[in-house]
Amino acid sequence: MTDYAASTDFATSAAPADVVRRQYLASAAGDLEALRATLAPDVEWTEMAGFPLAGTYRTPDGVTANVMERLGADWDGWTAHDDTYVTDGENVVVLARYTATNKATGKPIDVRVAHHFTVRGGLIVRFEQFVDTAKVREAMP
């Protein structure tokens, strides 16, 4: 596997899969500034109906405040483990897995997920999540 973080080309690449990968790396590191840097000013970020944070969020600050910061407040070790990328032009579909432990219940999750990103001009302009929301809710109070 390529060490993406060490590659200067990767760090500045506008290729859709590279932009998406930087978003996952920033999220896993808890680096919200770097994560916001991958998002377009008018980003539309949709968490699936039935997911605890269901809804569509706009702006990089809106996404990090309403999704990443809330996940961090409610879950220990929330991580999206990206493993398979399917790219078609500006569209990137990522098959991944969420792992975390709910802070209130102590129950862990290990759930498969698919994410659809649209990347234009080196920034994520749209995100849509697909996940088994029942598995996530089973770990919650």
Side-chain angles (χ1 to χ4, degrees), residues 10-59:
F10 170 77
T12 58
S13 172
D18 290 344
V19 173
V20 169
R21 180 68 178 137
R22 284 197 303 272
Q23 181 273 150
Y24 281 103
L25 291 170
S27 179
D31 187 343
L32 298 184
E33 183 178 335
L35 193 148
R36 283 189 289 271
T38 66
L39 304 176
D42 59 347
V43 65
E44 289 187 3
W45 187 280
T46 302
E47 299 286 319
M48 188 170 173
F51 190 70
L53 306 176
T56 298
Y57 305 97
R58 291 173 174 80
T59 78

Side-chain angles (χ1 to χ4, degrees), residues 91-138:
N91 293 290
V92 180
V93 173
V94 179
L95 304 179
R97 179 175 302 285
Y98 289 153
T99 59
T101 301
N102 186 272
K103 289 181 179 180
T105 66
K107 293 179 183 177
I109 61 166
D110 187 343
V111 182
R112 290 296 285 164
V113 61
H115 293 154
H116 174 216
F117 295 87
T118 304
V119 179
R120 287 189 196 117
L123 295 171
I124 297 166
V125 297
R126 188 170 181 275
F127 166 87
E128 187 174 8
Q129 170 204 58
F130 301 90
V131 63
D132 184 345
T133 58
K135 292 286 186 192
V136 176
R137 290 200 170 271
E138 285 174 7

